[in-house]
Amino acid sequence: MAATRSGDGSQGHEAREVIERERWERLAARIGSTPGTEHERRRRVPARRGHSLDDTHPPTHLPPLLTAAEQQPGRVVCDASRAQSIAAELAPARARLARTLIRHNAG
């Protein structure tokens, strides 16, 4: 009986990982399909409203000031090996967040 439970638990865990991975893939696809005009609209809205120092996020209309400066090459290179290490380190937090999203948005 214990072996059956262990097998079911493993299958359930694998199924949950598939659901979590698919959730992230759908989210990435949705973000990637957002047209540039929508990004621009979202950038302009805070500029029209203004912002205050106690806002929870930095003002989104100010980055053009930064992009106007001469661009410099990056000093940190994230090769495939480093990206894989970072993904492995973040995997537990990513899984917890995915489960939370699924739990709160299921229905």
Side-chain angles (χ1 to χ4, degrees):
M1 189 88 161
T4 305
R5 284 185 190 161
S6 174
D8 291 343
S10 176
Q11 289 174 352
H13 179 73
E14 290 171 9
R16 186 174 66 228
E17 285 180 347
V18 168
I19 291 169
E20 291 167 359
R21 186 172 43 255
E22 289 173 353
R23 166 95 34 177
W24 287 116
E25 289 169 358
R26 284 194 309 270
L27 179 60
R30 183 175 175 195
I31 291 170
S33 69
T34 303
T37 53
E38 177 61 10
H39 289 292
E40 179 64 21
R41 184 192 71 78
R42 290 180 183 186
R43 186 189 67 77
R44 288 182 185 198
V45 168
R48 293 182 73 188
R49 287 190 199 142
H51 68 277
S52 63
L53 294 176
D54 62 347
D55 283 342
T56 58
H57 294 81
T60 56
H61 64 283
L62 296 180
L65 298 174
L66 299 174
T67 57
E70 181 182 342
Q71 293 188 5
Q72 301 293 319
R75 292 185 181 183
V76 177
V77 177
C78 189
D79 59 12
S81 175
R82 184 174 284 185
Q84 190 174 16
S85 294
I86 292 169
E89 183 178 341
L90 295 176
R94 180 179 170 170
R96 280 193 307 275
L97 180 57
R99 284 192 295 274
T100 300
L101 288 171
I102 293 166
R103 189 172 36 251
H104 291 291
N105 295 300

